[in-house]
Amino acid sequence: MAKSSADDDELRRACETAIENKQKVVLSMRVAKCTGMWNKAGKLGRGSAMAKPRVLAISVKTKGKRTKAFLRVMKYSNGGVLEPDKLYKLKHLSKVEVVSNDPSGCTFTLGFDNLRNQSVAPPQWMMRNVDDRDSGDLPKVVGIDIVEMALWAKKNTQAIPKPQQTSFQEGFTPVVITETDMQVTVEKELVSQAEEEDMEALLDTYVMDIGEADAFSERLKRELQALEAANVHAIMENETLIHQVLHGLEVASTCVEDMDEWLCMFNIKLRHMREDIESIEAGNNRLEMQSLNNKSLVEELDKLLAKLRMPAEYATCLMGGSFDEASMFDNMESCEWLGSALSSLEVPNLEPCFAKMRAVTEKHSELENMKSTYARRACDFLKKYFTGLVDFMLNDKTYFSQVGQLKKPDHADLRYKSRTYGRLLQHLKSLDKNFLVPLRRAYCSSMNMLLKREAREFAIELRASALLPRNPIVWLEGALNANQSTYEDTSTISEVYTLMLTVFIPVLADECSFFTQFMCFELAPPVPAEDDNNNNDDAGDKGYAGKPTLDMGALNESLQELLDGLQEEFFGLIDWAYKIDPLRCISMHGTTERYLSDKKFDQSGFVHMLLDDMESRIGMLFSRFVDDICHQIERNEKNLRQVGVLSYIPRFAVLATRMEQYVQGQSRDLVDQAYTKLVTIMFVTLDKISQADAKYADVLLLENYAAFQNSVYELANIVPTLVKFYHQASEAYEQACSRFITTIIYYQFEKLFNFARKVEDLITSINPEEIPFQLGVSKSDLRKVIRSNLSGVDKSVAAMYKKMQKNLTSAEELLPSLWDKCKTEFLDKYTVFSQLVAKVYPAENVPGVPEMREILASM
């Protein structure tokens, strides 16, 4: 008998190896899987599929105290190795049904209670022998000989020692065959009803009483002996037939053994044939896949070859073509093809696996070399072309201003010819923007020469055509010493400067804008004027939104080269105007401020910077002018004793009046700063001069402060800065007047008012009645003072008037007002004296206040 596969340990170990989660295999057997139908002759029908070798295995998985059993279907891979195919839970196995048409009884189907609604007929499993079929525990079986199974179970039941009978987890039944397992449910009765009746009738013939048992036993023995004798006799008589039967059985056994060997051989051949067929199928699949891959590869290679193919006309144009205007269309097409060809050979436009191919790398290197060669040729041509255009204009004098004729710069023809190559510049940038750097420098250098030449010739002709004053205006010594009140008109200077800015500032702004666009700089979009709150100090970044781009630095450098040196032409015009009339710096400063505040020039950063430089230059020159005047004013303190109104006081009013005529826009701040500096120096110098002669210091101060107020009175009504200095001069004038009047009064009545001050000091500490008895303030002392000061008081007042008149010889217009203040001050002091005498010396007689008022009024 062949060995059952259920006892094959190697098969069990192979199944455990194929299971990934390392479950224990307790039972495994080889089967054949088929889905065909058996016909009545016990053969598979034509429509049945070929049987496939499989292995059924029962595995156990233990997790903690729980144990689960599974029924696994294993199949053989192409290499003959077992691998999992299907998995069932053993607890769902509900039926094993033997196929009735299979005469061997080895084909059966498995039924599961969780797979009741199958749309496909369940597979049939064919065992190699009956031992494989009957192994293990049996569920409900259909179509199998129960006695045969019971005998097999009894034969193959192994007793389990008690120590090995361990407890199992609930839900799992151990695979052990016991006596109860031998009790098999039979679906069909073994004896029919008729057969049972015949057996009862037969047994009735042998019915005997209980006491006849021995007789019955003897009868059975006799009959048995007779039967055995008959059998032996029959055997002896049929010995020849028996030998023939035995011989036939031996022959049949030999045939069966030969047939078994043939079947084994056929099985092996069929297995080999099956393996060969599977190998052929796998080979066919690989060939089919290889064919598809080769077809796809050919298509990809065709596409790659199309990318690597270079049209001859493009190669000719790129390597040695002409750059004249007629060939620009061919150049544009060649550049577009070159750019797309380079892009198509780079990841991600090209598969990474193709990017490392030798043909691709060589073609890419060839295209890169072609790109560099073409870009170099194009840049050399454009540099010569731009330089030639500018040189042509520089050599033609009709493009510049000439004697008696101002020529505004006109670059329309230059830009028209340059735009012919605008698209070429764009393609050069897309190919390699590094080649644009020397080209931009060459363009800026040529245009810088042209712009400086145009500005220089225009400025020269402007200066030549201006109507200038015959005598230069001197605001220093002349302004301080002369009595000049009118000056020649110098408005043409401001007109020249304004015309220069009107012509060239828009030209420079347009040139910057054209250069930025023409040379393909990538910048952020301009910020609208109403939204531009950017206070960035970088002139190159003005007018553009967001953060500076990578091109911003290159643009700033290029624009600096484009406009470098132009400020010198404007500075020359500013210096020329300053030498003729320094005050024209005020109007030029206002004109410059007007252009700086114009929003349309904000985007031209370096034009804005040029205007800032010009404004700074004008401010510097005007500050120099103010400093020169301040130095002239300070020189006055080094002179000998000075009397009367200083010369710079009235000349300042003339200067301020002229400055106010030139004030425009924001030049107000410039002029106010000059006022502050000049007036401060004037007042400081006046104080220093007055300290040189203390005797006449107050006279000098009041005369000059009065002259300052009179000269700037009208200007102070319209200029807030001068209002402050006007009030300062007014306060200083009042203080000087008060000191001067006190000096005049004490010159004639010093003893009288000193006596009154002594009495006034004593009255605060002692009683008025005791004061006449004090030393120096007695009644006799009072009488002496009255005799010396009040006898002939009219003569003393007249002397006081003459003294004041003598000191004010250079400012006689101040005498009436000062004399009125003097009389008022004297009368106030005398009133205090009279009140003290009446209080302390009531018996003494002094002229009364009304009498003194009449005397003063008569003078």
Side-chain angles (χ1 to χ4, degrees):
M1 181 183 291
K3 182 181 178 181
S4 174
S5 60
D7 299 329
D8 192 345
D9 294 336
E10 293 183 359
L11 180 61
R12 188 182 298 110
R13 285 194 295 271
C15 293
E16 290 179 349
T17 303
I19 300 174
E20 295 180 356
N21 50 9
K22 304 301 180 183
Q23 296 181 6
K24 182 178 181 182
V25 177
V26 298
L27 180 64
S28 61
M29 62 193 76
R30 294 184 177 88
V31 296
K33 179 182 177 182
C34 59
T35 57
M37 300 298 295
W38 293 85
N39 54 26
K40 294 181 179 180
K43 297 182 179 180
L44 289 172
R46 293 183 179 180
S48 62
M50 181 179 293
K52 300 178 181 179
R54 294 288 188 270
V55 174
L56 292 179
I58 297 177
S59 62
V60 177
K61 178 180 180 182
T62 302
K63 185 176 182 182
K65 294 183 179 181
R66 294 181 60 86
T67 304
K68 295 182 180 180
F70 301 94
L71 176 60
R72 294 181 175 272
V73 180
M74 316 292 288
K75 65 179 181 179
Y76 289 94
S77 63
N78 293 335
V81 181
L82 284 176
E83 60 183 17
D85 185 13
K86 293 185 179 180
L87 175 67
Y88 305 96
K89 289 185 178 180
L90 192 59
K91 67 179 181 179
H92 294 299
L93 179 61
S94 62
K95 184 175 66 172
V96 179
E97 182 175 358
V98 175
V99 178
S100 59
N101 293 335
D102 182 10
S104 65
C106 295
T107 303
F108 62 93
T109 60
L110 299 177
F112 296 89
D113 55 7
N114 61 341
L115 300 175
R116 298 184 183 277
N117 299 323
Q118 289 187 347
S119 60
V120 182
Q124 298 176 359
W125 309 97
M126 181 183 296
M127 296 292 185
R128 297 190 305 169
N129 49 52
V130 178
D131 290 336
D132 281 355
R133 183 198 70 185
D134 296 336
S135 62
D137 290 338
L138 294 177
K140 181 179 178 180
V141 296
V142 179
I144 301 176
D145 190 345
I146 303 303
V147 177
E148 181 185 351
M149 291 183 62
L151 293 175
W152 179 91
K154 185 175 181 180
K155 178 182 177 181
N156 291 278
T157 300
Q158 298 177 358
I160 301 177
K162 290 185 179 181
Q164 297 180 2
Q165 294 178 356
T166 58
S167 59
F168 292 89
Q169 186 72 18
E170 181 182 355
F172 174 72
T173 303
V175 186
V176 179
I177 301 175
T178 63
E179 293 182 359
T180 57
D181 295 330
M182 299 299 101
Q183 299 175 359
V184 183
T185 303
V186 181
E187 291 209 354
K188 295 182 181 180
E189 296 179 354
L190 298 178
V191 182
S192 65
Q193 186 67 27
E195 290 175 344
E196 185 178 356
E197 293 176 355
D198 293 339
M199 291 178 66
E200 290 179 355
L202 178 62
L203 291 175
D204 287 342
T205 61
Y206 294 97
V207 175
M208 297 179 181
D209 296 334
I210 300 300
E212 296 179 356
D214 294 336
F216 179 71
S217 177
E218 288 295 331
R219 180 181 177 180
L220 287 178
K221 289 180 179 180
R222 289 193 302 269
E223 290 181 357
L224 178 60
Q225 290 175 359
L227 181 62
E228 289 179 351
N231 289 337
V232 170
H233 184 267
I235 291 173
M236 294 300 293
E237 288 181 351
N238 298 321
E239 181 179 2
T240 304
L241 295 175
I242 290 173
H243 285 296
Q244 292 177 358
V245 171
L246 291 175
H247 179 70
L249 290 175
E250 289 178 359
V251 173
S253 176
T254 302
C255 291
V256 170
E257 290 179 354
D258 294 341
M259 184 64 70
D260 184 55
E261 291 179 359
W262 292 345
L263 290 175
C264 290
M265 293 174 61
F266 289 152
N267 189 24
I268 293 173
K269 290 181 179 181
L270 288 174
R271 185 172 67 249
H272 290 172
M273 187 179 297
R274 188 183 304 114
E275 293 175 355
D276 293 341
I277 292 173
E278 291 178 353
S279 176
I280 292 171
E281 289 180 351
N284 288 337
N285 291 336
R286 286 194 296 270
L287 288 175
E288 184 178 357
M289 182 61 68
Q290 185 176 1
S291 177
L292 293 176
N293 290 338
N294 289 337
K295 183 178 180 181
S296 301
L297 179 60
V298 169
E299 293 177 355
E300 292 296 330
L301 290 177
D302 289 339
K303 294 179 182 178
L304 182 60
L305 287 175
K307 294 179 180 179
L308 298 179
R309 190 175 298 111
M310 181 188 303
E313 61 274 15
Y314 292 157
T316 303
C317 181
L318 291 172
M319 297 303 292
S322 174
F323 289 102
D324 55 10
E325 187 174 353
S327 303
M328 273 298 98
F329 182 77
D330 295 337
N331 279 272
M332 296 303 101
E333 285 189 342
S334 300
C335 288
E336 291 175 359
W337 174 85
L338 181 58
S340 61
L342 284 170
S343 177
S344 64
L345 295 181
E346 296 174 351
V347 179
N349 296 326
L350 185 67
E351 293 294 334
C353 58
F354 292 155
K356 297 181 180 180
M357 292 178 62
R358 179 178 178 182
V360 174
T361 55
E362 289 180 354
K363 177 57 68 172
H364 192 274
S365 300
E366 181 183 353
L367 293 178
E368 286 288 343
N369 185 29
M370 184 178 294
K371 179 188 72 173
S372 301
T373 302
Y374 180 78
R376 189 179 302 107
R377 290 177 55 247
C379 288
D380 293 341
F381 168 78
L382 290 176
K383 284 194 291 186
K384 293 179 181 179
Y385 181 77
F386 293 144
T387 304
L389 290 178
V390 174
D391 289 343
F392 175 78
M393 295 182 66
L394 290 174
N395 295 329
D396 190 351
K397 295 183 179 180
T398 59
Y399 284 99
F400 307 101
S401 299
Q402 301 179 24
V403 178
Q405 180 182 4
L406 287 173
K407 179 71 174 181
K408 295 181 180 180
D410 185 6
H411 300 164
D413 185 59
L414 175 63
R415 294 180 184 177
Y416 175 78
K417 294 179 179 179
S418 298
R419 285 193 180 98
T420 304
Y421 297 94
R423 288 189 60 193
L424 179 59
L425 289 173
Q426 295 176 0
H427 285 294
L428 285 177
K429 181 177 182 180
S430 63
L431 292 176
D432 190 351
K433 62 180 180 181
N434 293 327
F435 284 99
L436 289 180
V437 176
L439 181 58
R440 290 168 177 170
R441 290 178 179 172
Y443 180 87
C444 290
S445 177
S446 299
M447 288 302 300
N448 179 261
M449 294 174 58
L450 178 62
L451 291 173
K452 288 196 293 186
R453 172 77 178 279
E454 290 173 339
R456 187 184 309 112
E457 298 294 341
F458 195 84
I460 291 173
E461 183 56 28
L462 276 178
R463 291 196 293 266
S465 61
L467 297 177
L468 304 179
R470 297 179 180 178
N471 299 318
I473 298 176
V474 180
W475 286 102
L476 300 178
E477 290 84 356
L480 297 173
N481 299 326
N483 293 324
Q484 182 180 355
S485 60
T486 60
Y487 298 91
E488 296 185 35
D489 184 20
T490 58
S491 60
T492 54
I493 298 175
S494 298
E495 293 174 358
V496 165
Y497 181 76
T498 302
L499 182 59
M500 185 73 176
L501 294 187
T502 304
V503 171
F504 274 91
I505 295 302
V507 170
L508 298 180
D510 291 344
E511 282 298 329
C512 292
S513 178
F514 174 77
F515 175 78
T516 302
Q517 297 176 2
F518 182 63
M519 287 298 173
C520 306
F521 285 96
E522 294 180 0
L523 302 175
V527 176
E530 59 272 15
D531 298 335
D532 187 8
N533 296 321
N534 184 15
N535 294 325
N536 191 359
D537 294 334
D538 188 356
D541 296 345
K542 291 184 177 180
Y544 295 98
K547 297 181 179 179
T549 61
L550 295 178
D551 286 349
M552 185 61 73
L555 175 61
N556 290 340
E557 293 179 4
S558 299
L559 291 179
Q560 187 172 5
E561 294 178 5
L562 180 66
L563 303 181
D564 186 37
L566 270 172
Q567 63 271 19
E568 299 299 330
E569 307 301 332
F570 289 91
F571 289 171
L573 188 64
I574 293 171
D575 295 343
W576 168 78
Y578 172 77
K579 292 178 181 179
I580 297 174
D581 187 358
L583 292 183
R584 283 296 168 181
C585 289
I586 299 174
S587 59
M588 291 190 296
H589 188 274
T591 303
T592 308
E593 280 290 339
R594 187 169 64 253
Y595 276 93
L596 281 172
S597 60
D598 194 341
K599 295 296 182 182
K600 66 182 180 181
F601 297 117
D602 282 351
Q603 297 179 14
S604 303
F606 275 87
V607 176
H608 207 281
M609 181 181 291
L610 176 62
L611 291 170
D612 286 335
D613 293 341
M614 294 165 60
E615 184 183 35
S616 300
R617 181 78 171 192
I618 294 171
M620 182 269 294
L621 292 176
F622 187 72
S623 297
R624 182 190 300 174
F625 167 71
V626 173
D627 291 340
D628 290 342
I629 292 183
C630 290
H631 293 325
Q632 282 295 325
I633 293 173
E634 290 173 345
R635 288 195 196 121
N636 284 269
E637 64 177 291
K638 299 179 181 180
N639 296 336
L640 298 176
R641 175 178 177 271
Q642 301 185 42
V643 295
V645 178
L646 300 178
S647 59
Y648 61 78
I649 296 295
R651 302 315 302 164
F652 171 77
V654 177
L655 180 65
T657 302
R658 191 67 178 268
M659 291 168 66
E660 287 299 320
Q661 295 175 359
Y662 300 153
V663 173
Q664 297 179 8
Q666 297 184 6
S667 299
R668 176 81 271 163
D669 294 339
L670 183 70
V671 174
D672 288 344
Q673 293 174 6
Y675 286 158
T676 302
K677 192 171 186 178
L678 288 173
V679 176
T680 302
I681 293 296
M682 288 167 55
F683 288 173
V684 170
T685 303
L686 178 60
D687 289 340
K688 291 181 178 179
I689 294 175
S690 65
Q691 293 172 7
D693 189 356
K695 183 177 181 180
Y696 297 99
D698 294 329
V699 176
L700 182 66
L701 290 175
L702 67 89
E703 287 179 345
N704 283 276
Y705 281 124
F708 179 82
Q709 293 180 78
N710 293 334
S711 60
V712 302
Y713 176 75
E714 294 182 356
L715 291 175
N717 291 329
I718 58 176
V719 180
T721 303
L722 292 179
V723 172
K724 178 182 68 175
F725 293 110
Y726 182 87
H727 292 308
Q728 182 179 345
S730 178
E731 293 176 1
Y733 171 77
E734 293 297 333
Q735 295 173 3
C737 286
S738 178
R739 294 193 298 271
F740 175 67
I741 290 171
T742 301
T743 302
I744 294 297
I745 292 173
Y746 273 78
Y747 180 76
Q748 292 293 334
F749 300 95
E750 182 177 5
K751 294 180 180 181
L752 179 66
F753 294 120
N754 284 338
F755 183 85
R757 187 170 63 254
K758 291 180 181 180
V759 174
E760 194 172 9
D761 293 339
L762 290 174
I763 204 172
T764 58
S765 58
I766 61 176
N767 294 327
E769 296 81 1
E770 298 177 359
I771 292 176
F773 301 101
Q774 300 297 321
L775 182 64
V777 290
S778 61
K779 293 182 180 180
S780 59
D781 294 330
L782 173 62
R783 295 188 187 102
K784 292 179 182 179
V785 169
I786 291 174
R787 281 197 301 271
S788 62
N789 287 275
L790 294 181
S791 58
V793 66
D794 51 346
K795 294 181 180 179
S796 297
V797 171
M800 186 171 59
Y801 177 78
K802 290 180 180 179
K803 179 69 174 177
M804 179 179 291
Q805 185 179 20
K806 179 181 179 181
N807 291 333
L808 296 176
T809 54
S810 59
E812 295 181 356
E813 67 277 4
L814 298 178
L815 182 60
S817 62
L818 286 176
W819 177 243
D820 291 338
K821 290 182 179 182
C822 183
K823 291 190 293 184
T824 302
E825 182 70 20
F826 175 79
L827 190 60
D828 292 340
K829 291 180 179 295
Y830 187 78
T831 301
V832 173
F833 171 76
S834 178
Q835 292 174 354
L836 288 174
V837 171
K839 186 176 182 179
V840 179
Y841 309 99
E844 297 298 327
N845 186 19
V846 295
V849 174
E851 180 181 357
M852 188 63 66
R853 182 178 294 108
E854 292 178 359
I855 294 173
L856 292 174
S858 62
M859 298 302 295

